[in-house]
Amino acid sequence: MPRVGILAIQGDFLEHRTVLSGMGVDAPEVRLPRQLDDVDGLIIPGGESTTIAQLIDIYGFRPALKDKAAEGMPIWGTCAGMIVLASRLTDHRPEPLGLMDIVVTRNAFGRQVDSFETDVEIAGLAGLPYRAVFIRAPVVEEIGPGVSVLASLADGRPVAVRQGRLLATAFHPELTDDPRVHRLFVDVVEDAAQRSVKVD
Ligand code: GLN
């Protein structure tokens, strides 16, 4: 069983833990860069992206996360986590990690629709549409050639994207009781862990 770390410096990391624990997945909190060596994948949770990015730098996570991503560690960003993974933001802050070839707009839905829920079809998820919870959510404006769109809103704007082992969702699967997106990420982590065992 792979270990899926959760970046636990700000935001709703506990909710991710609860979902993963309910699935029987070991989900340690990652608070220091060296703890990245003990996990097979990482979730960057929702929260406040400017604060998360600031703390990433204060704790020295930036180079470690770049190294891990380059080595093929699966990373999933939800909401603020998506913002942090982006290559570029339409906003002038924070400075994203630049791990995924996506351009992201923060707070894309404005004040009127601060938070909302809607059904989305997510590629690779069997069964009913997924009830997605958006909270001051970002949206993907542009994607690079290696990025595939897993889900879009009715107006066509992408809200779930994947680039190799990197996943980003504008919504919060940790705030619903439907674990299918967590399962999708755990499958990516499991597959990556198995391949690295074979190569070694
Ligand atoms: N609006 C937040 C930001 O820009 C993200 C909101 C969230 O993660 N729920 O950081």
Side-chain angles (χ1 to χ4, degrees), residues 45-50 78-81 83 106-107 135-138 172:
E48 176 52 45
S49 60
T50 51
T78 58
C79 199
I83 296 167
R106 296 174 60 204
N107 303 315
I135 303 171
R136 296 187 309 282
H172 289 270

Side-chain angles (χ1 to χ4, degrees), residues 168-187:
T169 53
F171 49 90
H172 289 270
E174 71 281 16
L175 298 183
T176 54
D177 53 12
D178 182 342
R180 284 180 293 166
V181 185
H182 285 80
R183 170 50 56 200
L184 190 141
F185 183 63
V186 171
D187 287 348

